[in-house]
Amino acid sequence: MPASNEKFLVGLVGPEVLSAVEADATHPVSIDIGACNALEIRYDFFPEKEWPALSKRVRKIAPHAMQVGTIRLERDGGRFPDRDAYSRIPLWSKILAEGDVPEWLDLEQDCLYDFKNLKNLADLRKTKVLVSQHNFLRIPSQQELDDFARDCLRVKADGLKIAAMSNGDTDCERLYKFARIHSQNFELFAAFGMGETGKASRVWSLKEGANLTYGSIGQAQAPGQVDVLKMARAISELPGLTTPADVLNSFAKL
């Protein structure tokens, strides 16, 4: 299914954010929540006993937002032990057995051995699966990016996400080309750079064909992550922006 024309700005929901808004609906962080039309529930940030009820809790504070459920491994920037990667299917099963469940689940590319089982569980709840890749060293070559897209198409993933470290001013050009070529093959598609030289790509990638990007609510959880309020403003101005530098100028506005 081709990528949606709607642009999705995802904010991460961890324990501090969720408990703050639950305790006080007027808490300043609720403004950040309202700026996002999608929220990532980072299950790995919460005690496991709380996982099944998290979707319902997030739905209560943000009924407007699409949910992306993630149990992120340590090697991909999360807190779930890498050694337990094979144990996540039963955990997803408990999450998906509840009345409220995320619309999307995120599975890392190097865990595609779990894709079929996860997809079978997700299909029962009409939940879709996004395959993600996180590279904290560099942006992959064009061939590596194309291979990633082929992997996702082979397993019939509904969405694709890549976040990769940009080490120079032109590094993100490969991600933009990747988005132009492959974004129409997926319902959700994210391709942006991390780090200082990747900041503009978090919004400019949406100009190149992506429809999914991530910002920070409170403390940044990835290198170069930008506050969701700045992200939302830049996205609203995107039709009038002509270069990635214009995105940075938008970020710099008071």
Side-chain angles (χ1 to χ4, degrees):
M1 179 183 294
S4 163
N5 288 328
E6 184 175 3
K7 312 300 186 186
F8 292 97
L9 172 57
V10 184
L12 183 153
V13 176
E16 297 81 6
V17 169
L18 183 55
S19 59
V21 181
E22 286 179 328
D24 179 6
T26 65
H27 191 283
V29 80
S30 64
I31 298 174
D32 292 343
I33 294 286
C36 303
N37 56 355
L39 294 170
E40 182 178 53
I41 302 175
R42 284 295 298 272
Y43 288 94
D44 53 297
F45 283 8
F46 291 85
E48 193 175 308
K49 65 182 180 181
E50 296 183 20
W51 290 10
L54 284 177
S55 179
K56 183 177 181 179
R57 291 171 62 189
V58 172
R59 194 82 62 194
K60 187 172 181 180
I61 67 164
H64 68 286
M66 177 182 77
Q67 295 180 4
V68 181
T70 305
I71 305 174
R72 183 68 71 221
L73 297 174
E74 291 172 329
R75 61 177 177 252
D76 287 292
R79 298 179 186 173
F80 196 78
D82 294 341
R83 66 179 180 276
D84 296 332
Y86 288 89
S87 71
R88 289 184 296 175
I89 290 297
L91 300 173
W92 283 126
S93 182
K94 291 179 181 179
I95 290 167
L96 292 170
E98 295 296 307
D100 279 282
V101 299
E103 287 85 359
W104 287 81
L105 303 179
D106 179 322
L107 180 70
E108 301 87 355
Q109 181 192 15
D110 57 1
C111 294
L112 285 180
Y113 52 79
D114 267 342
F115 184 87
K116 184 176 180 181
N117 289 332
L118 181 58
K119 189 73 167 70
N120 288 340
L121 286 173
D123 283 348
L124 294 174
R125 299 306 308 272
K126 298 183 179 179
T127 291
K128 298 175 182 179
V129 180
L130 174 153
V131 173
S132 63
Q133 180 187 132
H134 303 85
N135 191 320
F136 293 95
L137 297 177
R138 62 181 178 86
I139 291 176
S141 69
Q142 211 68 53
Q143 183 62 58
E144 290 170 321
L145 290 170
D146 290 341
D147 288 345
F148 175 39
R150 278 191 285 271
D151 272 354
C152 294
L153 289 171
R154 175 177 53 82
V155 298
K156 299 182 179 179
D158 302 295
L160 176 156
K161 171 195 173 186
I162 179 166
M165 183 63 69
S166 172
N167 295 300
D169 291 337
T170 62
D171 274 8
C172 291
E173 293 296 331
R174 292 197 297 281
L175 294 176
Y176 300 151
K177 181 178 179 181
F178 180 57
R180 291 193 295 269
I181 294 172
H182 295 286
S183 61
Q184 291 303 307
N185 294 320
F186 300 92
E187 187 173 343
L188 287 183
F189 190 96
F192 55 84
M194 293 186 284
E196 283 299 310
T197 57
K199 281 185 174 181
S201 71
R202 290 178 176 271
V203 170
W204 190 256
S205 60
L206 303 178
K207 194 93 164 183
E208 300 285 1
N211 66 347
L212 181 70
T213 190
Y214 291 67
S216 64
I217 296 176
Q219 183 178 355
Q221 297 295 328
Q225 201 171 59
V226 179
D227 175 86
V228 291
L229 294 179
K230 293 182 179 181
M231 292 280 290
R233 180 176 57 218
I235 291 170
S236 71
E237 297 174 350
L238 190 57
L241 305 184
T242 57
T243 69
D246 292 340
V247 175
L248 296 178
N249 290 336
S250 178
F251 289 162
K253 291 178 182 177
L254 295 178

